[in-house]
């Protein structure tokens, strides 16, 4: 292109060369050969940013491979023609704009580089949004440039030769991102989220299919002609089963969007829209999304992660592809135990949420809920669905194996009673949010079933508070949690035969002194238990507070998302 | 002159959903041949009791002395008829190849059916289908 437009001959990109180059770029993108005659065709505007805001360079190697093809000829040709490219090349790809900004008076050429790199770097708009500091100066111009590629005309007027330099300097990473944005067949993060939302509106289960008729109705709304829709379907339904999985749906939607924006439909499905590619690609975008970071990276384990991811999906509107999370989970199993470290980017509330829900999920895992229903979007519902099948039977049995002697049980009874009486005040304030946490309800149901005669509040407080402790604990100790709950479960049934009236707690104490065989041990254990329970209470309170916060934030988020969705369809479809 | 014509006809009135021939001259004659052969196909279907999926028929009976060509037929379970007219000079075409061609046609037709935007009874406008048929016919000719 550089050669054809005459820049190579002249040695720089003058306005004429620049215009011709842009036309040629557009021609090349539309599939025309790069020749002078091509610019006479009726060309769409060259798309440096394509249809959507390009996101980040994080698309990684698969995308870069695609990008390389497009850019290598570009790079080599342009690099050859650049005579003064040294200065730019030496600098870091992202920082060339920095140098002019930092040292504007260096030379008029360097100064000119800024607006030039604006013009060219429209493709980097997404990239630069990530790097706020160096690009603040250009950010506003970028935004302006973004929607109107016609601004390209204005840009060449500002500079000449330095265009080459900036182009070559910003070759590596911006190129890849430029190519990402150039490629109309690549789905960006934003688009993917939108598609996933649309998918969910048609079919709550992200793992399942959208049937043909549903998809037909949906895509017919896009007002594309039926033969084109038929062709889009042919392209995107790779396995030809008459139904669209999530990646297939994303591909189809993407094709619809592209078509509506004027792109011709390809004859074959582009690589970037293949289901395998989409599933693989959806991994990386997920990681960088702050919310999803918390969800995916805090997964305690493979299966736990799966359950977690499923319920989290139900709770969060912008839920990533399930398979993406699955793969994320598998990849991050090792990290899973360390909930804290990956969550550095996330607000604390989410961290706690993940800890809490991860813990919940690990609890739920015991019950092995195979919930894959996403009809509800609230966290509470998600948690309920995640923990619907209770597992009352196993626990008491296992606890038998653990609690070797009856004395131990009665010790616990004694402790719980001793603690409970002094312990009653703290739990009540934390009670209200707890009933919404159905898991605790269920667990307390499960464990308290034998003790219906007991004061439900006390029992709930007791076991649910313990549950909260259990929940708040790091998910890396599932077995220990089991122990705890089992012992709790054990002690509660054990208590029922002995205790009949709630208020008669102190009355039970006279029974206990009978067993003074190992009183010292008992006391030691009791103090330990008391401390643990106090800690439990504190954590329970914290838990409930955080839950409140989370609910509020969640509501805000839902409100914002609905606003966004209302705004968005106006532009896309 | 290698000739290959494939037609897909749908029940109940046997409207042709798809016609493709290579080369494209003298198409009408082959259309007529196909049309007449449809009667024979129907006859065969009704004659067959159990085995409805007739893999192929060999119409040696339609060989005219001047223009010798063979007509093959194929019927699916849903009474969709595929007819292929092949020039007899193409002696290289064997029975198995015809069968495999019909199978490919059938698979592609099924894929088209899966497309919710396709109404059964419409003309087949699928690019993928065209590509498949083209490649298949190129192999033969």
């Amino acid at each position: 292109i550089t050669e054809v437009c005459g820049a190579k001959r002249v040695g720089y990109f003058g306005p004429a060369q620049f215009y011709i180059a842009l036309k040629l770029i557009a021609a090349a993108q539309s599939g025309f050969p790069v020749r002078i005659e091509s610019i006479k065709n009726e060309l769409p505007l060259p798309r440096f940013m394509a249809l959507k805001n390009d996101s980040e360079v994080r698309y990684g190697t698969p995308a870069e491979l695609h990008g390389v093809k497009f850019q290598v000829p570009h790079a080599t040709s342009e690099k050859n023609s650049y005579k003064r490219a040294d200065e730019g090349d030496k600098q870091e790809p992202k920082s060339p704009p920095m140098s002019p900004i930092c040292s504007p008076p260096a030379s008029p050429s360097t100064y000119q580089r800024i607006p030039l790199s604006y013009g060219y770097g429209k493709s980097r708009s997404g990239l630069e949004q990530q790097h706020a500091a160096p690009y603040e100066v250009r950010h506003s111009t970028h935004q302006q440039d973004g929607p109107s590629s016609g601004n390209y005309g204005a840009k060449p007027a500002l500079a000449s030769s330095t265009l080459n330099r900036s182009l070559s300097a910003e070759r590596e990473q911006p190129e890849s991102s430029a190519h990402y944005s150039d490629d109309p067949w690549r789905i960006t993060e934003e688009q993917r989220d939108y598609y996933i939302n649309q998918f969910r509106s048609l079919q709550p289960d992200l793992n399942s299919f959208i049937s043909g008729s549903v998809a037909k109705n949906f895509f017919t709304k896009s007002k594309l002609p039926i033969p084109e829709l038929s062709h889009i379907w042919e392209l995107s339904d790779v396995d030809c089963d008459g139904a669209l999985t999530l990646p297939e749906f994303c591909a189809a939607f993407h094709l619809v969007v592209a078509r509506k924006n004027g792109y011709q439909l390809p004859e074959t499905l582009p690589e970037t829209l293949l289901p395998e590619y989409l599933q693989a690609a959806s991994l990386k975008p997920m990681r960088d999304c702050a919310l999803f970071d918390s969800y995916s990276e805090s997964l305690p384990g493979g299966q736990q992660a799966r359950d977690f991811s499923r319920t989290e999906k139900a709770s969060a509107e912008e839920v990533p592809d399930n398979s993406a999370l699955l793969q994320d989970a598998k990849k991050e199993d090792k990290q899973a135990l360390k909930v804290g470290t990956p969550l550095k980017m996330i607000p604390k509330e989410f961290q706690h949420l993940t800890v809490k829900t991860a813990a919940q999920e690990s609890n739920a895992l015991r019950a092995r809920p195979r919930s894959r229903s996403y009809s509800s979007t609230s966290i509470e519902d998600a948690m309920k669905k995640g923990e619907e099948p209770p597992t009352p039977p196993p626990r008491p049995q296992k606890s038998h194996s653990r609690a070797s002697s009856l004395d131990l049980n009665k010790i616990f009874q004694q402790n719980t009673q001793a603690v409970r009486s002094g312990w009653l005040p703290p739990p009540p304030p934390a009670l209200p949010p707890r009933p919404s946490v159905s898991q605790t309800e269920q667990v307390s149901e499960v464990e308290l079933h034998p003790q219906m005669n007991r004061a439900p509040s006390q029992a709930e407080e007791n076991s649910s508070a313990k549950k909260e402790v259990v929940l708040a604990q790091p998910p890396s100790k599932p077995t220990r949690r089991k122990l705890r709950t089992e012992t709790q479960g054990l002690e509660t049934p054990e208590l029922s035969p002995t205790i009949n009236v709630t208020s008669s707690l102190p009355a039970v104490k006279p029974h206990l002194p009978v067993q003074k065989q190992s009183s010292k041990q008992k006391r030691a254990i009791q103090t330990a238990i008391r401390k643990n329970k106090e800690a439990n209470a504190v954590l329970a309170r914290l838990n409930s507070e955080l839950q409140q916060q989370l609910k509020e934030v969640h509501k805000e988020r839902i409100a914002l998302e609905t606003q966004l969705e209302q705004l968005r369809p106006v532009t896309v479809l | 002159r290698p000739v290959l014509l494939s037609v897909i006809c749908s029940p109940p009135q046997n409207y042709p959903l798809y016609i493709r021939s290579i080369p494209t001259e003298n198409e009408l004659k082959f259309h007529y041949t196909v049309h007449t052969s449809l009667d024979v196909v129907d006859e065969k279907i009704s004659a067959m009791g159990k085995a409805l999926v007739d893999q192929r028929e060999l119409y040696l009976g339609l060989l005219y002395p001047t223009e010798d060509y063979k007509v093959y037929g194929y019927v699916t379970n849903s009474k969709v008829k595929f007819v292929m007219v092949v020039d007899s000079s193409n002696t290289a075409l064997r029975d198995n190849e015809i069968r495999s061609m019909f199978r490919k046609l059938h698979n592609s037709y099924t894929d088209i059916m899966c497309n919710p935007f396709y109404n059964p009874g419409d003309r087949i406008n699928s690019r993928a289908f065209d590509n498949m048929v083209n490649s298949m016919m190129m192999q033969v000719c």
Side-chain angles (χ1 to χ4, degrees), chain B residues 42-101:
Chain B
D42 277 336
E43 206 183 286
K44 292 240 173 178
I45 294 175
S46 54
M48 297 266 210
K50 318 176 268 181
L52 287 177
V53 181
D54 189 21
Q55 283 280 337
R56 70 113 178 121
E57 304 158 343
L58 187 57
Y59 284 118
L60 291 175
L62 280 181
L63 285 176
Y64 297 150
T66 52
E67 33 189 30
D68 45 348
Y69 51 85
K70 303 178 196 151
V71 183
Y72 296 93
Y74 181 98
V75 177
T76 68
N77 286 332
S78 52
K79 303 280 174 44
V80 178
K81 301 168 193 62
F82 298 78
V83 179
M84 237 193 299
V85 179
V86 184
D87 192 69
S88 279
S89 55
N90 249 344
T91 50
L93 267 185
R94 298 189 314 163
D95 196 50
N96 283 340
E97 291 170 18
I98 302 285
R99 280 181 203 260
S100 71
M101 287 170 74

Side-chain angles (χ1 to χ4, degrees), chain A residues 112-160:
Chain A
Q112 283 172 342
R113 194 191 301 184
I114 305 172
L116 274 178
S117 42
Y118 285 160
Y120 177 81
K122 180 181 153 201
S123 57
R124 303 162 51 205
S125 63
L127 177 68
E128 287 163 3
Q129 281 163 16
Q130 267 191 338
H131 309 277
Y135 298 101
E136 277 162 6
V137 177
R138 310 152 26 130
H139 204 64
S140 54
T141 325
H142 258 284
Q143 296 299 331
Q144 179 195 347
D145 276 343
S148 59
S149 50
N151 274 351
Y152 285 143
K155 290 307 164 188
L158 292 174
S160 54

Side-chain angles (χ1 to χ4, degrees), chain B residues 5 27-38 64 69:
Chain B
L5 171 76
E27 233 183 305
L28 273 179
K29 184 176 69 171
F30 298 117
H31 290 191
Y32 175 72
T33 313
V34 166
H35 200 75
T36 53
S37 63
L38 283 177
Y64 297 150
Y69 51 85

Side-chain angles (χ1 to χ4, degrees), chain A residues 207-442:
Chain A
N207 263 345
S208 163
F209 303 99
I210 290 186
S211 74
S213 48
V214 171
K216 174 180 178 178
N217 293 335
F218 179 75
F219 284 116
T220 312
K221 285 192 252 172
S222 69
K223 304 213 175 35
L224 283 180
I226 295 290
E228 300 205 4
L229 289 172
S230 174
H231 184 61
I232 288 177
W233 177 279
E234 268 182 14
L235 289 178
S236 53
D237 190 8
V238 173
D239 47 6
C240 288
D241 56 357
L244 296 179
T245 63
L246 181 61
E248 287 176 347
F249 177 83
C250 289
F253 210 133
H254 197 75
L255 289 168
V256 168
V257 167
R259 185 78 190 99
K260 290 207 80 91
N261 280 284
Y263 281 93
Q264 291 299 322
L265 291 177
E267 285 298 320
T268 56
L269 194 63
E271 268 189 56
T272 52
L273 289 180
L274 285 173
E276 303 83 31
Y277 178 83
L278 282 177
Q279 282 185 338
S282 60
L283 282 180
K284 287 160 191 166
M286 290 310 116
R287 289 217 189 96
D288 292 346
C289 209
L291 275 176
F292 301 138
D293 270 353
S294 66
Y295 294 158
S296 62
E297 292 185 6
S298 65
L299 294 173
Q303 286 180 340
Q304 289 177 344
R306 251 173 266 135
D307 287 334
F308 176 86
S309 66
R310 284 184 205 139
T311 54
E312 280 307 309
K313 268 179 247 170
S315 58
E317 296 259 344
E318 299 171 354
V319 161
D321 185 15
N322 196 10
S323 58
L325 269 187
L326 269 176
Q327 300 179 32
D328 260 342
K330 286 171 193 162
K331 288 191 180 183
E332 293 159 357
D333 270 357
K334 291 174 189 170
Q335 301 177 20
L337 299 187
K338 299 160 195 170
V339 180
T341 42
L343 303 180
K344 44 191 177 247
M345 295 191 331
I346 306 147
K348 273 199 170 178
E349 298 150 0
F350 290 122
Q351 288 191 18
H352 287 287
L353 166 70
T354 56
V355 170
K356 173 174 180 287
T357 49
Q360 278 183 356
E361 277 311 308
S362 54
N363 280 338
L365 198 67
R366 256 179 281 132
R368 302 284 300 187
R370 299 228 171 256
S371 63
R372 288 161 58 107
S373 59
Y374 302 101
S375 49
S376 63
T377 53
S378 68
I379 295 179
E380 294 81 22
D381 287 348
M383 295 189 307
K384 280 179 194 159
K385 286 204 196 291
E387 295 117 10
E388 262 168 345
T391 59
R395 277 190 217 117
Q397 294 163 13
K398 289 184 186 173
S399 63
H400 280 304
S401 66
R402 202 154 301 288
S404 52
S405 67
L406 288 176
D407 297 339
L408 197 60
N409 297 335
K410 288 182 186 165
I411 289 170
F412 280 130
Q413 294 167 23
Q414 180 183 19
N415 291 333
T416 53
Q417 285 150 37
V419 174
R420 208 177 291 128
S421 50
W423 197 44
L424 272 174
L431 251 187
R434 234 179 275 133
S436 68
V437 180
S438 60
Q439 185 195 12
T440 61
E441 273 183 341
Q442 283 184 347

